[in-house]
Amino acid sequence: MFTVLFIIAMLNPFYGLFTKIALTDFENNQHIFISRWILKILSVCLLLIGNFFTSFLLIIALIKQRKEKSVLNNSFDLKEKGAKSRVIGMIFICSFTLMCFFLLIKIQSL
C-alpha cells in the first residue's frame, strides 16, 4: 500500500509540470488543442488517484480558459515542434496513474 502511495507522490511533480506546460502554451497561443486535452486528461488522472481538490481546480481553470479564448484552429498536428513530447509524456503519466489506480483497488479489496 505504501509503495503505491509513494509512486503517486512521485507522480505529483509531473502533474504540476504538465499543468505548467499547458498554461504556458495557452499564454503563448501554441498547442492550444493539445493543451486542452492535457488538462482534461490530467483532471481525470487526478480523480482516479483521489486528488479531488486539484482536479476540481484544473476543471475550473479549463472552463475559464475556454470562455476566454475560443480556438479557431481545432487541429491536432504532431508535426508541430514539441507536440510529440507532450503526447508521449501524457501517455507515460496516464499509464502510471492507471497502474496505481488498479493497484489501489486490488489492495483495498484484499
Side-chain angles (χ1 to χ4, degrees):
M1 176 77 169
F2 292 114
T3 306
V4 177
L5 293 176
F6 178 75
I7 294 171
I8 290 172
M10 292 298 112
L11 284 175
N12 280 327
F14 292 105
Y15 297 140
L17 176 69
F18 274 95
T19 303
K20 176 67 175 159
I21 289 171
L23 293 178
T24 304
D25 286 345
F26 285 140
E27 290 174 1
N28 296 335
N29 288 328
Q30 297 175 342
H31 309 292
I32 301 293
F33 186 75
I34 296 172
S35 297
R36 283 189 178 158
W37 275 102
I38 285 174
L39 289 180
K40 290 175 187 176
I41 292 170
L42 278 177
S43 63
V44 170
C45 288
L46 288 168
L47 280 174
L48 287 176
I49 61 171
N51 199 342
F52 301 113
F53 182 71
T54 309
S55 178
F56 180 70
L57 291 177
L58 278 177
I59 291 170
I60 289 174
L62 187 61
I63 291 171
K64 183 179 175 184
Q65 192 279 332
R66 187 151 181 108
K67 287 181 182 178
E68 288 177 1
K69 296 181 182 179
S70 65
V71 176
L72 298 175
N73 186 10
N74 278 336
S75 65
F76 178 72
D77 190 16
L78 282 176
K79 294 178 182 174
E80 294 180 27
K81 183 179 178 183
K84 288 181 184 177
S85 63
R86 286 166 174 75
V87 172
I88 291 170
M90 282 310 300
I91 291 171
F92 170 76
I93 295 275
C94 287
S95 64
F96 272 99
T97 303
L98 287 173
M99 178 189 69
C100 291
F101 175 68
F102 288 122
L103 287 174
L104 283 174
I105 290 175
K106 185 71 174 170
I107 289 171
Q108 290 177 356
S109 68
L110 293 177

